[in-house]
Amino acid sequence: MSTSVVVGAGRGIGQAIGEDLARACPGDRLVLADIDADLVERVAATLRVQGVEAVARHVDVTDEKSVQDLVAETAEADKVAIAAGIFDSSPTLDVTAADFERILRVNTIGCFDVARRYAAGMAASGSGSIVAVASVAARMPRMRQAAYAASKAALRQSLRVLALEVAGSGVRVNTVSPGPTDTEMMRQLASDHASVDDLADGSLLAFRPRIPAGRVARGSDVAAVVRFLLSAESSHVLLGDIVVDGGELLGM
């Protein structure tokens, strides 16, 4: 039996990844972890009603002991998706060092810590796949997102280095970079638009290009790509970063 772990599975893209894996691999053990224990338990409970072997666990990616405990409990995991993250939007001239550090602590250092600890166990067993959720903000400057963009760019590059070092041990590490996606976090971002869906139209004021596909992503769009990267079908894909943005970056 395969074991999949989704970190940050309580809401948004992480929840979509967990639900997608449950549908695609109903016989596998699924561990859903999140800093909000009650929230992720509700997600797991819904899946259990559907016959999925889903368990919920608390994890705080900024707490090394918390991460160590989760990794030790799920040492057999061969597929790990990391979708934990926080977002803040404020004018760059107003961002404090504390603001910057808080976002880096979760989005970069915390997520990297999860990835490297699982990678160590997978390397010892000779196989495994890890996928983390980055962002197109790692490539394209976003107004009022200096800390967030930096955190995702740093995560993407640090995981590439990790991927290089563990590839010879049969471990694959990749990232997926969503564009605007209809999640609670994205609704916080859409303050310069009437709705999340209106982000597809772009904004000259926000220096945001139009999305050629004509819509923002759904969590399921991102989850499908994560599932592919975790699966054996992507066995020759590593150090990759698959963009799921409806063409917003124009393929750059």
Side-chain angles (χ1 to χ4, degrees):
M1 177 187 292
S2 179
T3 297
S4 299
V5 177
V6 183
V7 176
R11 57 168 61 85
I13 290 174
Q15 178 180 350
I17 292 170
E19 293 170 344
D20 183 89
L21 290 174
R23 287 190 298 269
C25 313
D28 290 355
R29 180 171 184 252
L30 182 61
V31 179
L32 306 178
D34 198 276
I35 193 168
D36 190 328
D38 293 336
L39 186 63
V40 78
E41 172 56 34
R42 288 197 290 272
V43 176
T46 299
L47 294 177
R48 287 196 294 270
V49 170
Q50 302 170 23
V52 177
E53 185 184 346
V55 298
R57 293 292 181 266
H58 170 266
V59 68
D60 178 352
V61 300
T62 68
D63 182 335
E64 288 190 62
K65 179 64 164 55
S66 180
V67 174
Q68 287 172 349
D69 290 345
L70 175 66
V71 174
E73 184 182 349
T74 57
E76 78 284 3
D78 54 347
K79 292 180 284 190
V80 175
I82 306 168
I86 58 174
F87 174 80
D88 194 13
S89 175
S90 59
T92 303
L93 295 180
D94 297 335
V95 175
T96 67
D99 294 333
F100 216 105
E101 183 177 353
R102 178 175 58 87
I103 291 176
L104 288 175
R105 188 77 187 104
V106 175
N107 294 359
T108 305
I109 300 170
C111 290
F112 177 78
D113 191 38
V114 173
R116 73 182 183 93
R117 291 185 188 279
Y118 273 112
M122 291 176 178
S125 65
S127 66
S129 180
I130 299 170
V131 180
V133 177
S135 170
V136 294
R139 302 175 183 229
M140 176 184 286
R142 296 289 206 198
M143 296 282 283
R144 299 178 294 281
Q145 294 183 39
Y148 180 77
S151 73
K152 292 297 189 176
L155 175 65
R156 178 169 167 257
Q157 197 68 351
S158 63
L159 291 186
R160 283 178 162 179
V161 176
L162 175 64
L164 276 174
E165 296 183 10
V166 298
S169 299
V171 183
R172 296 186 300 111
V173 182
N174 292 285
T175 57
V176 58
S177 284
T181 306
D182 190 5
T183 64
E184 180 180 333
M185 183 182 292
M186 185 54 63
R187 292 184 195 110
Q188 299 174 26
L189 168 64
S191 58
D192 51 1
H193 291 73
S195 71
V196 172
D197 286 333
D198 286 340
L199 290 171
D201 295 330
S203 166
L204 183 60
L205 180 64
F207 287 89
R208 180 180 293 278
R210 179 181 179 277
I211 298 175
R215 68 171 178 88
V216 301
R218 310 298 181 233
S220 58
D221 294 318
V222 182
V225 176
V226 171
R227 170 166 40 87
F228 167 70
L229 290 173
L230 290 174
S231 73
E233 282 73 19
S234 62
S235 62
H236 205 53
V237 180
L238 64 159
L239 284 89
D241 180 47
I242 298 184
V243 175
V244 186
D245 70 341
E248 184 185 25
L249 291 183
L250 301 179
M252 293 185 287

